[in-house]
Amino acid sequence: MITFTVNGTQRSVTSDPDTPLLYVLRDELALNGAKFGCGLGQCGACTVLVDGEALFSCITPVMLLEGRSIRTVEGLGTVDEPGPLQAAFIAEQAAQCGYCIAGMMMRAQELLERIPDPDDDDILAALEPQLCRCGTHMRVIRAVKRAAQALAQAQALAQASEGAR
Amino acid sequence: MTHAISRRDVLRGTGALVLAFSLSRHAFALTETGASETPLRGLPGSLDSTPLLDAWIRIEPNGNATVFTGKAELGQGIRTALMQVAAEELKLPIARLTLITADTGRTPNEGYTAASHSVQDSGTALRNAAAQVREILIGEAARRVGASASELSARDGVVIGPGGFHFGYGDLVSEQLLHVDAQPTSILTDPRDFTVMDRPVPRVDIPAKVTGGAAYVQDMRLPGMVHGRIVRPPSYGARLAALDAGPVETMPGVLKVVRDGAFLGVIAEKEWTAIQAMRRLAALARWDETAELPDEARLPDALMALPSRDTTILDVGQPVAPSYAVDGLFSRPYLAHGSIGPSCAIARMEGDALTVWTHTQGVYPLRNALATLLAMPQDKVRCIHAEGAGCYGQNGADDVGADAALLARAVPGRPVRVQWMREQEHAWEPFGPGMVAHLRAALGPDGSIAAWQHDVWSQSHMMRPGPPGTLLAARDIADPFPPAPPVDLPMPEGGGDRNAVPLYVLPNARAVNHFLPEMPLRGSSMRSLGGYLNIFAIESTMDDLAGLSGQDPVDFRLHHLADERARTVVTEAAERFGWKSRPKAPAGSGYGFAFARYKNLEAYCAIALEIAIDQDTGRTVIQRAVAAVDTGQVVNPDGVRNQIEGGIVQATSWTLFESVRFDRRRITSIDWASYPILRFAHVPRHIEVHIVGRPGLPFLGAGEAAQGPTGAAIANAVRDVTGRRLRTLPLDAATVRAAMTASSLPTHSPS
Amino acid sequence: MLLKRVFLSGIILVAAGGAAALAYAWRGAIPPIAPPAVTSFQPDEVLRGADLALIGDCRTCHTTAGGRTFAGGLAMPTPFGTIYSTNITPDPETGIGRWSLAAFTRAMREGVDREGRHLYPAFPYDHFSLTADADLKALYAFLMTRDPVVAEAPANDLPFPINLRLVLAGWKLLFFHPETYVPDPSRDAPWNRGRYLVEGFAHCGACHTPRNLMGAEVSSRAFAGGEAEGWAAFPLGPHSPSRIPWTEAALGDYLRQGWQADHGVALGPMRPVVENLAEAPAEDVAAMARYLASLGAPAATFPPLPAAAPDMSGARPQSAGWQAAIAAPGTGQPEGLRLFAAACASCHEAGRPLPLGGTDLALSTSLSADTPQNLLNVVLQGVPASDGQAAPIMPGFVSAMNDAALTALVAYLRQTVAGKPGWPDLPAAIAAARDAAIPSPHAGAAR
Ligand code: FES
Ligand code: FES
């Protein structure tokens, strides 16, 4: 049995320790965010965050994750209350088929936590491991920028209200 | 009641399809959607084959509407667009609509969701059906109050009249009210009064997709579901020589090893177990391989040497000239659809009935193929569309549906989910065919095109089900089905010859389609079919002719264009780009322009772009692309933009990087390492899409409008930078670098 | 830190070295010229120059990720600080557009720029000094016919007194002994050509020869192994730790195609080198292989390889998976083995041929070398996708594996797969490799 947290909730899983995280998330925990795209670490469809860092869940055996903290796109918000990154992707209509998008968003989330105000080069470099076949790239880039702005505004607001107090 | 009717229509649709597969080229106007072009009744869009209004729209007692379409969401946003159309004409808020998409148990048969026909076929049907339903509801209200229908109007799901009376739709509708055939004409909303159409309504499917909702067939988890995987042969036509499956059968968690001839599959409780069992089984199987693939390095020669069936598709004036100013052989390699999510299906056999959840583009044709494959009556097989990753044509969706069905038979009552592995999708999907086009053109003394000849060679671009032999599994089972006969899609839509007839005014021109019945590699439809290469060839040649006659490429095109809408998009793209005033490009940069009307029937699209090439690596990046597009009446402008942007990016990838690789026996490009596609580092730095609005004109599909012009515009820009005309796709870094090196040399050699 | 201190004291000594050094230190400027017209060069000379630029690997150092080729600006971390490569396009203001052939030749051979400033030996003039006049002329012709790019290189980030160019004169006095190439008449022409290229333009020793505390190559230990950008440049010739000795044919294939079945795939800073050589003239690369092979081979130090796994490459149906099914070892088994089975084996044991398949780790020099540096780099960073090129991709495990897991995996690979005693100082090596693998905040778009 391996225990870790997924989107803030502690989970104990019974899958064999050599099972890639992707199948544990999808099969055992019934989460849809991480997708199977290649199983080879080549496309990024399965990207999730582990302790804040993006990795390919399709080639990460779950035995490496004891005690660690995993985040999937489900952890960024809900349909009814989308998080800032999700809201930005919706606002930019940044999907065609959308199959690649959850992985893109986790990679973007990592970027924004590392660099809150990324420039174009930062975004291109960060997203390089992620493939999209529909050609939604332009909108993904716009959505990441929009999310960065929204986060900055939220922060400024928070600081302002802090200052006002 | 409606069920019986829709089944009758289904059968009619099927008949058309079978006919089309067996008749010769011009005997039947088949389109890629599998539907007839020849009107049966003269009704708008798909109403023509499914005329009953309540096959399309039902009003619930609470006044909400359920809308049915035979088309499927492929990531192109069709779900939202069709809801907009229906909501607009029904005068019902979009939130009160439920849309049911392709399902053989519930929706009309609209053939394949393909060829940019969806808004045109289904959108037209729904728009007219919705308008007629609205008028029927108004008429019913008028009848009840004894008023004249012209005094009443509908708004927000309510019919209102002069006396202030009002009826909710739910109050008006009764069992048989909408169970009537559509009329040939409808009272359509004036585009000036649109409140839902021609608006960037946010897509209804995106919120679930960005929050981890169950959005795809891959995400479905049915009670009792188990996981299957398939072991495919190593190459086309390989025979299973030996297999001892014992070690796999005893693996813990494995429920079953399925073996039917050379069709091999495993079923396990858990997906990871199924994958491990599949790998194990694959390692145990021994195959005799026979495939003799063409020499990849000489693919164009190999294709042109195949026996062909030739059809002259254009012949006007005197196309033969004593000499040609431009004479070039253009070619493209086989291209992979390369869906990011490998194909997936879930099948469940319950009693004598089979249900398959599938991301096929044609639930009815697949249903029919599966029924034949499994020797089941058609009405015992139900195919329900569920979204997959974007497919861009026929990927492995149909094949994996058959795989799942065969496995489901082995574990009755339990849904079996089968997803292909990456290498299976890459090696076994039906590729966009390799092609060759030979263009020759002569200029007259006035700088106009005096003669034009276009020859194109290609295998079939349409090998979808229908016939069970289109499905991989059907060829491997012990009692196999013969490979399906090759289909040469006829003009005007065409297959390999799609867009081979230029839209330009050419008094002396000939175009010949050399259809290759043999299929060296498995192929079928991929976005824009032959259009991508034919437009690449035509628009490259147009640029060369413009250069030779000393004219600006845009002026030269306009000089040869009579179609006003074509002229408008060309002018619009040029103006928005600033073509006329474009500054001299810095070293290594250049401009390209191209135009086409997809199929000569669908959207018009012109693209101007600027590229930068690194002189010493040949690395090519689009700095700026400006597209102008005319899709007739626009349903969702943001949806159109999304499609055009996506088309430009995808075609950039085709043009700069892609080719299916193979040795004399096997496909060797089996993943993203061996089949590289565009990554973010090569994303165009800027894309603008300008829509030329055509309120009130018929819908024109937009999903495949940009691919041809993008490839050609890139090639023209490469020519602008290097002075070299590159005709062999892809224009990869090594090819472009060689052109750059040649052009960087001090002396000027002719290109 | 220690390195830096020794270096500093050495420099100060030299600076005190008196008038002779000072006299040597002052070099005059060579007058600027009007940028020569492209047409003033001969096409065949330009093409020859292009080949030499490939062999010299010029674009690798003089190009940033995503930047224009030869426009410079690439940060080169050295033990002493960061040096930025210069713009060698013929832009008159920011590049070498105003450099005459004489100025160019002096820079290449003597490490002095047109204005007379000494250049840091990150620019390997200690190798280029060997190059022939005609070749420098050809390289000059090539560079001067490139597209000029306006790009100012960032200022070097070096501590005092290393930031004083003058002190470089002292360094040169101690360590820079330019020679011209003298062919060895007892050897055949390809060997001589190979030696000329390897020692000269290709500057292989710049990475593969150890450097002393002041950053100069130790000529007595030529090709005994060095370092580049945090990667080990393995010893060549008699010191090679390779599992199977290199042959001339193997070297030729490796340099030309970037991989070789008995040795693996070129990674790290070697990858751009082989990418360049892939475009260089085949005879030249073959000549380099001939010379390198003649450096000698180690006396066999390895026990014979265990019987190779049966070759599955013909039988394995690729379309059902180039990944192997690996039975999970029991929980009682060593952790390294279990990790290997779970994270590595499906690709590395699958028998898919190189370069796209996983390297046979039993043959990998990264496992048999004296340092775990390269193995750690690959495990942590992986092999990122090559932009638009068919090339191997390997996912990195930097976020996935903690130090304990990494230690167990490395121990298994080193001791069981390579059959060698464990590396000393593994924790320090892991820490260093981790630092290198963490993406830098402003990495810029990948090339
Ligand atoms: S599915 Fe994990 S990287 Fe492709
Ligand atoms: S949106 Fe379809 S793959 Fe990216």
Side-chain angles (χ1 to χ4, degrees):
Chain A
M1 185 127 86
I2 292 162
T3 303
F4 41 65
T5 67
V6 179
N7 299 326
T9 310
Q10 185 157 329
R11 309 295 295 256
S12 294
V13 298
T14 57
S15 296
D16 288 339
D18 63 327
T19 311
L21 172 63
L22 174 67
Y23 301 99
V24 175
L25 293 173
R26 295 190 62 87
D27 246 19
E28 191 171 342
L29 302 178
L31 292 168
N32 297 318
K35 302 277 191 258
F36 173 75
C38 66
L40 299 161
Q42 297 179 349
C43 77
C46 64
T47 303
V48 301
L49 298 187
V50 171
D51 295 336
E53 289 176 36
L55 54 70
F56 303 125
S57 64
C58 69
I59 45 94
T60 304
V62 77
M63 69 171 76
L64 288 169
L65 301 175
E66 176 66 47
R68 300 179 71 176
S69 146
I70 296 159
R71 245 187 319 160
T72 69
V73 80
E74 286 92 343
L76 300 184
T78 62
V79 177
D80 298 323
E81 275 183 61
L85 194 59
Q86 291 166 326
F89 271 70
I90 294 171
E92 293 292 346
Q93 293 284 286
Q96 286 187 42
C97 78
Y99 197 88
C100 68
I101 293 296
M104 294 267 183
M105 292 173 67
M106 299 321 289
R107 189 70 64 176
Q109 179 72 21
E110 183 204 43
L111 170 70
L112 293 177
E113 286 173 14
R114 193 159 43 90
I115 309 173
D117 56 340
D119 60 23
D120 278 15
D121 282 349
D122 295 327
I123 296 173
L124 295 187
L127 293 176
E128 184 74 1
Q130 310 292 124
L131 289 178
C132 171
R133 188 55 164 162
C134 295
T136 312
H137 304 69
M138 313 303 295
R139 286 166 184 250
V140 169
I141 295 167
R142 289 206 293 268
V144 175
K145 285 188 194 160
R146 178 187 279 262
Q149 277 162 12
L151 286 166
Q153 271 165 16
Q155 200 151 35
L157 265 175
Q159 265 161 14
S161 67
E162 193 88 335
R165 233 176 284 153
Chain B
M1 192 68 192
T2 39
H3 243 70
I5 300 293
S6 70
R7 190 145 61 231
R8 199 179 66 216
D9 289 314
V10 166
L11 291 176
R12 186 179 299 117
T14 314
L17 193 68
V18 171
L19 261 180
F21 276 109
S22 60
L23 287 184
S24 75
R25 183 171 176 91
H26 287 300
F28 203 91
L30 174 77
T31 75
E32 198 191 338
T33 65
S36 160
E37 281 251 300
T38 318
L40 299 167
R41 303 184 175 80
L43 294 178
S46 298
L47 284 172
D48 198 55
S49 51
T50 306
L52 272 180
L53 290 181
D54 66 354
W56 299 93
I57 293 168
R58 288 182 214 155
I59 303 292
E60 313 301 337
N62 64 3
N64 291 353
T66 306
V67 178
F68 300 85
T69 172
K71 300 290 183 182
E73 176 68 57
L74 307 175
Q76 80 284 46
I78 199 69
R79 175 178 283 277
T80 309
L82 292 179
M83 287 175 82
Q84 284 178 262
V85 169
E88 181 68 64
E89 293 295 355
L90 278 175
K91 305 299 167 201
L92 199 57
I94 217 165
R96 293 180 61 188
L97 296 187
T98 306
L99 182 74
I100 308 292
T101 60
D103 173 350
T104 60
R106 300 175 81 180
T107 69
N109 179 1
E110 293 193 81
Y112 303 101
T113 305
S116 301
H117 262 274
S118 299
V119 179
Q120 184 184 316
D121 295 353
S122 205
T124 302
L126 280 175
R127 187 172 180 203
N128 283 275
Q132 295 186 23
V133 165
R134 179 195 71 221
E135 292 305 315
I136 289 172
L137 293 169
I138 290 175
E140 172 65 11
R143 189 186 64 78
R144 289 196 193 174
V145 297
S148 143
S150 61
E151 298 169 56
L152 311 187
S153 64
R155 216 180 61 210
D156 279 341
V158 178
V159 178
I160 38 186
F165 71 82
H166 53 87
F167 291 100
Y169 286 179
D171 305 331
L172 291 168
V173 79
S174 61
E175 177 80 356
Q176 296 297 311
L177 187 68
L178 301 179
H179 192 57
V180 294
D181 276 355
Q183 300 300 309
T185 57
S186 322
I187 302 172
L188 296 176
T189 303
D190 188 311
R192 279 170 302 198
D193 299 331
F194 282 158
T195 57
V196 196
M197 271 171 67
D198 206 3
R199 299 282 184 284
V201 171
R203 272 172 51 177
V204 294
D205 54 333
I206 288 183
K209 289 176 174 175
V210 300
T211 53
Y216 306 91
V217 67
Q218 283 91 344
D219 300 334
M220 290 177 66
R221 291 181 195 84
L222 301 178
M225 189 173 84
V226 292
H227 292 272
R229 282 294 184 282
I230 305 301
V231 171
R232 292 246 106 87
S235 55
Y236 297 133
R239 283 170 208 290
L240 185 61
L243 172 66
D244 167 18
V248 179
E249 276 156 359
T250 55
M251 280 174 69
V254 170
L255 295 172
K256 209 148 213 167
V257 173
V258 176
R259 180 173 172 179
D260 182 349
F263 175 81
L264 304 176
V266 295
I267 304 173
E269 291 285 354
K270 291 188 159 193
E271 189 170 9
W272 180 241
T273 314
I275 291 170
Q276 292 286 66
M278 171 207 73
R279 290 179 179 167
R280 214 47 202 290
L281 193 65
L284 292 166
R286 293 288 174 274
W287 302 84
D288 290 333
E289 299 185 58
T290 54
E292 183 59 29
L293 302 182
D295 178 359
E296 189 201 302
R298 299 168 49 82
L299 183 61
D301 296 339
L303 293 175
M304 292 199 303
L306 291 171
S308 70
R309 298 206 299 249
D310 297 351
T311 312
T312 301
I313 53 176
L314 169 73
D315 199 359
V316 292
Q318 175 47 263
V320 181
S323 71
Y324 298 97
V326 177
D327 182 336
L329 209 57
F330 297 82
S331 67
R332 75 168 219 193
Y334 285 85
L335 294 173
H337 300 80
S339 301
I340 292 298
S343 297
C344 181
I346 300 173
R348 181 178 61 204
M349 187 70 87
E350 253 172 346
D352 62 351
L354 173 74
T355 307
V356 180
W357 289 266
T358 162
H359 55 98
T360 176
Q361 290 178 272
V363 283
Y364 279 92
L366 177 62
R367 194 264 321 249
N368 299 348
L370 292 178
T372 317
L373 172 66
L374 303 174
M376 293 172 69
Q378 284 187 354
D379 61 1
K380 290 294 181 193
V381 179
R382 179 175 177 190
C383 288
I384 303 173
H385 185 268
E387 270 190 72
C391 61
Y392 332 107
Q394 189 191 348
N395 63 356
D398 297 299
D399 299 304
V400 77
D403 294 341
L406 285 167
L407 295 191
R409 222 167 35 171
V411 283
R414 301 200 70 175
V416 183
R417 176 188 182 276
V418 181
Q419 184 163 18
W420 277 8
M421 304 304 289
R422 168 49 48 204
E423 54 274 25
Q424 294 175 330
E425 188 77 33
H426 258 83
W428 283 100
E429 63 147 280
F431 303 122
M435 291 178 61
V436 183
H438 184 195
L439 256 82
R440 285 166 289 176
L443 283 165
D446 63 342
S448 301
I449 300 170
W452 179 277
Q453 292 207 55
H454 186 139
D455 288 84
V456 55
W457 289 261
S458 176
Q459 71 187 62
S460 174
H461 289 250
M462 169 71 180
M463 296 304 295
R464 300 175 185 273
T470 50
L471 299 169
L472 286 178
R475 303 182 201 169
D476 286 335
I477 54 177
D479 188 8
F481 287 83
V487 177
D488 181 13
L489 285 169
M491 280 297 182
E493 300 216 339
D497 51 356
R498 178 166 292 177
N499 277 102
V501 174
L503 202 65
Y504 299 108
V505 179
L506 302 173
N508 304 300
R510 176 185 294 162
V512 179
N513 179 33
H514 304 267
F515 177 71
L516 310 175
E518 281 176 34
M519 291 172 265
L521 270 67
R522 184 176 192 227
S524 190
S525 66
M526 177 164 169
R527 262 186 159 175
S528 81
L529 277 53
Y532 170 62
L533 181 73
N534 288 318
I535 294 166
F536 176 77
I538 291 171
E539 290 297 291
S540 295
T541 302
M542 288 300 286
D543 251 42
D544 287 351
L545 292 172
L548 287 169
S549 65
Q551 298 175 66
D552 177 84
V554 172
D555 292 341
F556 186 74
R557 283 177 174 80
L558 289 172
H559 179 64
H560 288 89
L561 274 177
D563 182 325
E564 265 317 311
R565 293 171 74 177
R567 297 179 62 86
T568 305
V569 295
V570 166
T571 310
E572 177 81 2
E575 273 173 13
R576 298 283 190 161
F577 184 82
W579 183 265
K580 278 280 146 70
S581 54
R582 64 192 187 280
K584 187 178 148 29
S589 296
Y591 304 101
F593 193 94
F595 158 79
R597 179 182 191 190
Y598 182 48
K599 295 194 256 181
N600 295 345
L601 296 168
E602 302 280 344
Y604 299 80
C605 181
I607 293 176
L609 51 77
E610 180 183 354
I611 61 168
I613 302 178
D614 186 286
Q615 190 177 27
D616 292 282
T617 59
R619 186 177 187 276
T620 301
V621 176
I622 295 181
Q623 299 297 310
R624 187 162 77 96
V626 174
V629 58
D630 169 356
T631 67
Q633 172 66 55
V634 174
V635 177
N636 189 323
D638 191 59
V640 170
R641 280 201 185 89
N642 205 348
Q643 286 297 295
I644 299 294
E645 284 173 21
I648 291 173
V649 174
Q650 191 179 62
T652 300
S653 182
W654 295 354
T655 306
L656 296 181
F657 306 119
E658 296 183 26
S659 80
V660 171
R661 311 299 306 269
F662 45 91
D663 57 26
R664 301 310 291 264
R665 190 148 284 180
R666 292 178 175 182
I667 306 300
T668 56
S669 50
I670 54 166
D671 58 6
W672 301 118
S674 45
Y675 189 90
I677 62 171
L678 176 141
R679 286 180 182 267
F680 271 87
H682 266 94
V683 161
R685 296 304 182 250
H686 179 84
I687 297 182
E688 257 170 67
V689 179
H690 299 283
I691 299 175
V692 177
R694 296 287 181 188
L697 292 190
F699 304 129
L700 300 178
E704 301 165 276
Q707 282 80 354
T710 299
I714 292 174
N716 288 337
V718 169
R719 157 91 202 206
D720 188 37
V721 179
T722 66
R724 296 321 188 257
R725 170 57 63 196
L726 302 182
R727 300 188 172 96
T728 304
L729 291 165
L731 310 183
D732 58 19
T735 309
V736 174
R737 173 165 42 77
M740 288 299 278
T741 304
S743 74
S744 77
L745 292 180
T747 47
H748 298 286
S749 51
S751 62
Chain C
M1 212 58 229
L2 176 70
L3 266 184
K4 205 173 265 183
R5 213 163 40 234
V6 176
F7 183 76
L8 291 179
S9 47
I11 288 291
I12 290 159
L13 254 178
V14 170
L22 207 62
Y24 178 79
W26 288 113
R27 304 297 303 267
I30 294 181
I33 57 169
V38 168
T39 45
S40 64
F41 298 97
Q42 291 307 312
D44 55 334
E45 201 160 50
V46 172
L47 287 174
R48 237 159 18 87
D51 293 340
L52 291 167
L54 290 167
I55 294 168
D57 213 21
C58 308
R59 74 182 176 207
T60 304
C61 290
H62 287 277
T63 309
T64 57
R68 300 284 301 271
T69 300
F70 301 134
L74 183 74
M76 293 187 286
T78 72
F80 317 113
T82 302
I83 295 173
Y84 292 89
S85 64
T86 52
N87 179 349
I88 55 170
T89 71
D91 179 62
E93 307 313 323
T94 61
I96 60 169
R98 296 191 184 285
W99 290 34
S100 61
L101 176 60
F104 180 73
T105 304
R106 182 173 78 172
M108 288 289 287
R109 292 235 186 99
E110 300 172 39
V112 176
D113 73 5
R114 188 192 63 73
E115 284 97 335
R117 288 175 304 201
H118 290 285
L119 297 169
Y120 287 92
F123 175 56
Y125 47 82
D126 46 344
H127 290 272
F128 297 157
S129 58
L130 232 54
T131 53
D133 286 347
D135 285 343
L136 286 181
K137 192 161 167 263
L139 183 58
Y140 178 73
F142 171 69
L143 290 173
M144 297 307 269
T145 51
R146 298 307 87 199
D147 294 336
V149 179
V150 181
E152 195 79 62
N156 293 333
D157 183 12
L158 294 168
F160 178 84
I162 302 171
N163 58 351
L164 301 180
R165 298 245 178 195
L166 195 63
V167 304
L168 280 168
W171 186 93
K172 282 180 170 176
L173 207 55
L174 283 175
F175 301 115
F176 178 48
H177 311 295
E179 300 165 39
T180 47
Y181 184 76
V182 184
D184 179 346
S186 71
R187 302 287 195 154
D188 61 11
W191 184 91
N192 272 298
R193 173 75 177 161
R195 177 162 169 243
Y196 169 72
L197 292 173
V198 165
E199 304 287 356
F201 280 106
H203 62 282
C204 304
C207 295
H208 288 275
T209 294
R211 291 178 183 267
N212 64 18
L213 293 179
M214 296 219 275
E217 286 175 37
V218 182
S219 49
S220 60
R221 301 188 57 217
F223 299 118
E227 218 200 59
E229 298 160 46
W231 293 71
F234 293 132
L236 309 177
H239 308 288
S240 164
S242 174
R243 194 68 170 69
I244 294 178
W246 285 94
T247 62
E248 183 180 331
L251 282 162
D253 287 349
Y254 180 81
L255 292 177
R256 202 159 170 71
Q257 62 192 19
W259 59 274
Q260 208 283 328
D262 290 342
H263 299 276
V265 177
L267 296 174
M270 193 62 195
R271 190 158 161 178
V273 173
V274 294
E275 281 169 4
N276 286 338
L277 291 180
E279 301 166 28
E283 327 73 82
D284 282 346
V285 179
M288 290 167 66
R290 170 161 300 189
Y291 169 67
L292 288 169
S294 77
L295 295 175
T301 51
F302 284 103
L305 279 169
D311 174 24
M312 301 290 289
S313 52
R316 185 179 297 280
Q318 57 171 18
S319 50
W322 269 115
Q323 287 128 288
I326 305 297
T331 39
Q333 296 289 319
E335 196 195 351
L337 169 65
R338 294 174 54 221
L339 278 166
F340 176 78
C344 318
S346 66
C347 290
H348 284 280
E349 299 281 291
R352 183 180 181 188
L354 291 181
L356 299 172
T359 300
D360 178 350
L361 293 174
L363 299 182
S364 167
T365 311
S366 297
L367 267 65
S368 57
D370 287 344
T371 159
Q373 231 172 348
N374 291 11
L375 175 66
L376 289 169
N377 286 343
V378 175
V379 172
L380 292 178
Q381 300 174 26
V383 181
S386 175
D387 183 26
Q389 311 286 325
I393 302 175
M394 174 183 145
F397 288 85
V398 63
S399 322
M401 282 194 198
N402 61 22
D403 287 358
L406 199 55
T407 304
L409 177 65
V410 167
Y412 168 76
L413 292 173
R414 173 70 170 177
Q415 286 153 42
T416 309
V417 179
K420 294 204 121 190
W423 281 296
D425 272 352
L426 189 56
I430 289 178
R434 238 183 230 295
D435 274 354
I438 305 238
S440 68
H442 283 272
R447 274 178 80 195

